[in-house]
Amino acid sequence: MSEKFANLLPRFLKYVKVETRSDPNSQTIPSSSKETAFLKQLQDELQSLGLTDVHLNPDNSYLVATIPSNVDAKVPVIGFLAHVDTADFNAVNVNPQVVKHYDGHSPIALGDGKYQLDPAEFPALKNYAGQTLVTTDGTTLLGADDKSGVAEIVTMAEYLMAHPEIKHGEIRIGLSPDEEIGTGADHFDTDDFAADFAYTVDGGPLGELEYETFNAAEAKLTIHGKNVHTGVAKGAMVNAIQVGIDYHNLLPEHDRAEKTEGREGFFHLYQFDGGVDQVTMTYLIRDHDRQKFESRKQLMQQLADQLNSQLDQPRIELNIKDQYYNMREVLDKHMEVVDLAKQAMEDLDIKPVIYPVRGGTDGSTISFMGLPTPNLFAGGENMHSRFEYVSVQTMKKALEVLLKIVQLNVTKNQ
């Protein structure tokens, strides 16, 4: 095995076994002490590799470190970012399986075989014939989202520190908590990170290069009903459940996550709690187009006002909170950052896969803070589930892309 790849898989397997699930109900930064413990382990590792200015920012719990420049010319400072937390799925006792020389067509038993990765259900498996896959044992997620990105960045740092003949400018590394609950990037400190542009290494399969995301908001409705005995309910009861159903049915029927694709936006009802007396409903609002996004928010308010006017008194409270915006608004003005990553992939015979992301990344928020930050592939498939897996060969390619980017940054700016 090439020296540059020697520690990539062992490092990744070590990382995924550490539980770092973020907690959406926590009010602390980070949301879980397990994230802090892991970040401190990574801090020790980066210091042992010889990186400088390695510190855990006390205000946002970002672990930041520097690979010093080894060229005389002044070149832009590049940042690479990945998140250490895992998603809302069981992450206790992750037991990764390494499947060598996968044949591309047979089902892969996960653990005791109760669950399996079957190409009939997951056709992307056919793309990995002959490769080494890391899967779960069926009881947990894997954590390739985003410990594959963390492992790739740390391995890049290790290789560059050991090979000063590879010329590069200053490189900043940022490893973050709480990406999966959407709060980590809210506290990002651009002054502390001090890069000119950056990349999140948090994408999926080979070649993904993402610079267009959703605009996103969360809408929470609280419906106050009036519960009386059903025998005397006529003209007196206000069933909050029924009001909630009526509200939902007024939204465009097609505009649901399960019925849309590409640049089609949606309203996604993902939580409905309560009873006759009170109901809470929580929606995701998504659209790539900012004007349509704003119209969606306005429609939800109009429908709440409409129903309130028909009830005996206003009973629907609506609170809408913006979460992030389409990073393309920023990156359209900084396409040289995207083009640098695109050239790096093409120089390595990797076809860039560019499409509008039906989601967001930390880069969505960070780009609007003044640091242009598109997203690069890290390798994971079927993320956030027991069916998650990653190709070791794709992880190696991701590492190669990071190394190529830092070298191109020098040659383009000499």
Side-chain angles (χ1 to χ4, degrees):
M1 179 184 293
S2 168
E3 175 197 351
K4 75 177 71 168
F5 302 129
N7 292 325
L8 180 58
L9 178 57
R11 178 171 280 125
F12 173 69
L13 295 176
K14 176 183 176 183
Y15 289 173
V16 299
K17 291 178 182 178
V18 181
E19 187 198 347
T20 54
R21 181 174 171 179
S22 46
D23 180 1
N25 299 313
S26 171
Q27 300 301 312
T28 64
I29 302 172
S31 66
S32 167
S33 61
K34 295 170 184 177
E35 295 176 84
T36 302
F38 183 53
L39 286 163
K40 288 180 177 178
Q41 292 178 29
L42 292 170
Q43 182 178 14
D44 291 342
E45 184 175 4
L46 292 175
Q47 287 173 332
S48 72
L49 295 176
L51 278 72
T52 62
D53 190 25
V54 182
H55 64 280
L56 198 57
N57 187 309
D59 296 323
N60 60 18
S61 289
Y62 269 75
L63 175 60
V64 179
T66 301
I67 303 173
S69 172
N70 62 7
V71 295
D72 294 330
K74 182 174 176 57
V75 299
V77 177
I78 301 181
F80 291 108
L81 298 155
H83 64 90
V84 302
D85 64 315
T86 58
D88 187 18
F89 193 85
N90 181 31
V92 179
N93 296 324
V94 172
N95 181 31
Q97 298 182 157
V98 178
V99 181
K100 296 182 178 180
H101 308 298
Y102 176 58
D103 63 18
H105 59 82
S106 299
I108 300 171
L110 303 179
D112 62 10
K114 180 180 179 181
Y115 301 100
Q116 62 180 11
L117 279 170
D118 189 339
E121 184 176 3
F122 304 108
L125 283 163
K126 299 173 185 177
N127 299 328
Y128 297 102
Q131 299 188 27
T132 296
L133 303 182
V134 184
T135 77
T136 78
D137 68 357
T139 63
T140 68
L141 49 61
L142 178 61
D145 181 14
D146 184 31
K147 288 173 181 171
S148 57
V150 176
E152 289 151 11
I153 290 172
V154 174
T155 305
M156 173 201 69
E158 178 182 45
Y159 191 71
L160 289 176
M161 295 302 295
H163 290 273
E165 72 276 8
I166 299 175
K167 300 304 178 185
H168 58 82
E170 184 174 309
I171 302 166
R172 298 286 276 173
I173 289 172
L175 304 178
S176 69
D178 295 340
E179 189 269 353
E180 295 293 359
I181 59 174
T183 61
D186 291 344
H187 309 287
F188 185 76
D189 187 337
T190 54
D191 291 335
D192 183 42
F193 196 61
D196 293 302
F197 62 92
Y199 300 94
T200 49
V201 188
D202 190 22
L206 181 69
E208 281 193 351
L209 172 55
E210 301 165 343
Y211 65 93
E212 181 176 1
T213 61
F214 272 139
N215 297 289
E218 182 181 79
K220 181 166 288 188
L221 284 86
T222 303
I223 303 172
H224 303 280
K226 183 168 67 173
N227 194 4
V228 299
H229 192 284
T230 54
V232 292
K234 186 174 182 179
M237 176 185 288
V238 179
N239 187 339
I241 297 172
Q242 185 60 54
V243 174
I245 293 170
D246 293 343
Y247 181 92
H248 185 71
N249 287 340
L250 289 172
L251 291 168
E253 183 177 353
H254 174 268
D255 291 9
R256 300 175 185 172
E258 64 270 29
K259 294 186 175 183
T260 53
E261 61 184 353
R263 287 189 172 86
E264 295 177 311
F266 58 76
F267 304 93
H268 174 54
L269 175 62
Y270 72 94
Q271 199 163 21
F272 192 122
D273 298 312
V276 172
D277 194 56
Q278 181 169 302
V279 157
T280 58
M281 301 167 65
T282 309
Y283 285 86
L284 300 180
I285 307 171
R286 298 291 188 265
D287 210 297
H288 289 95
D289 182 277
R290 178 68 80 98
Q291 185 174 348
K292 291 180 180 179
F293 173 64
E294 296 298 333
S295 295
R296 289 183 184 280
K297 292 190 291 181
Q298 292 169 11
L299 176 61
M300 292 198 77
Q301 185 62 61
Q302 290 167 5
L303 296 180
D305 294 342
Q306 174 184 325
L307 284 179
N308 275 332
S309 70
Q310 297 170 3
L311 296 166
D312 60 331
Q313 64 184 59
R315 293 184 176 275
I316 301 174
E317 298 175 16
L318 174 64
N319 181 267
I320 299 177
K321 179 182 178 182
D322 286 359
Q323 296 171 306
Y324 57 84
Y325 303 110
N326 187 347
M327 66 166 73
R328 184 164 186 167
E329 288 185 36
V330 175
L331 288 166
D332 269 345
K333 303 178 183 70
H334 299 277
M335 285 302 292
E336 69 278 1
V337 180
V338 176
D339 292 340
L340 181 64
K342 184 178 178 182
Q343 182 179 339
M345 292 185 192
E346 290 172 343
D347 286 356
L348 295 166
D349 295 324
I350 298 170
K351 182 180 179 181
V353 180
I354 300 172
Y355 62 94
V357 182
R358 292 180 62 78
T361 72
D362 275 351
S364 304
T365 298
I366 293 170
S367 291
F368 279 89
M369 294 178 174
L371 182 66
T373 308
N375 190 38
L376 304 174
F377 72 93
E381 296 256 20
N382 295 347
M383 294 178 276
H384 300 190
S385 78
R386 70 178 81 249
F387 301 106
E388 187 180 8
Y389 67 94
V390 67
S391 158
V392 174
Q393 283 77 6
T394 301
M395 290 179 65
K396 290 178 179 179
K397 288 288 189 181
L399 172 57
E400 294 274 24
V401 168
L402 303 188
L403 292 169
K404 179 63 72 172
I405 286 173
V406 301
Q407 293 173 77
L408 286 173
N409 186 48
V410 172
T411 59
K412 285 179 169 290
N413 289 283
Q414 285 181 329

